[in-house]
């Protein structure tokens, strides 16, 4: 006989996608928070530590993305060369006018 706890645990099970997408989202948020902390920090040693943590977090984020991408959970499409060149021209002309 299943108890209420057994039923609740069964209903709350997370699959692989749920777990890894949560990991990816957390790492994306952490990268932003580390970047904010770095630019607000004036102590050189603390900045070095934050940079190190930032770099580690970006590596972990990319590993989570690659895992999802290779498993077909996070599909990406490649932009065509014409689209990339158009965007480059648009942004390069903005910086030249500044």
């Amino acid at each position: 006989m299943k108890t209420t706890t057994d039923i609740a645990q069964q209903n709350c099970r997370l699959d692989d996608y749920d777990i890894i997408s949560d990991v990816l989202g957390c790492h994306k948020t952490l990268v932003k928070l580390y970047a904010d902390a770095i630019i607000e920090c004036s102590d050189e040693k603390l900045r070095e530590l934050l940079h190190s943590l930032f770099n580690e977090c970006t590596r972990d984020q990319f590993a989570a993305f690659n895992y999802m991408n290779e498993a077909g959970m996070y599909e990406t499409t490649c932009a065509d060369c014409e689209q990339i060149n158009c965007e480059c021209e648009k942004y390069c002309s903005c910086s030249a006018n500044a």
Side-chain angles (χ1 to χ4, degrees):
M1 177 176 199
K2 287 189 176 185
T3 66
T4 305
T5 302
D6 293 333
I7 294 169
Q9 285 178 338
Q10 184 176 351
N11 290 337
C12 292
R13 288 229 163 93
L14 299 175
D15 63 15
D16 196 31
Y17 175 81
D18 294 328
I19 295 167
I20 194 64
S21 63
D22 190 46
V23 168
L24 180 64
C26 288
H27 278 88
K28 286 180 174 183
T29 300
L30 280 171
V31 166
K32 293 171 189 171
L33 292 171
Y34 280 132
D36 286 344
I38 290 167
I39 62 173
E40 295 295 331
C41 183
S42 62
D43 182 81
E44 191 60 36
K45 287 189 186 260
L46 182 54
R47 285 178 64 91
E48 288 174 17
L49 173 63
L50 291 169
H51 271 283
S52 174
L53 294 169
F54 174 86
N55 289 333
E56 181 181 343
C57 192
T58 60
R59 286 189 297 271
D60 291 344
Q61 177 275 325
F62 192 58
F65 162 77
N66 279 333
Y67 176 86
M68 291 184 76
N69 185 257
E70 290 168 6
M73 296 181 215
Y74 195 127
E75 294 188 26
T76 59
T77 57
C78 295
D80 66 41
C81 290
E82 184 178 328
Q83 191 177 12
I84 293 170
N85 290 334
C86 181
E87 293 300 313
C88 286
E89 287 176 19
K90 181 169 75 175
Y91 289 104
C92 289
S93 66
C94 287
S95 65
N97 294 332

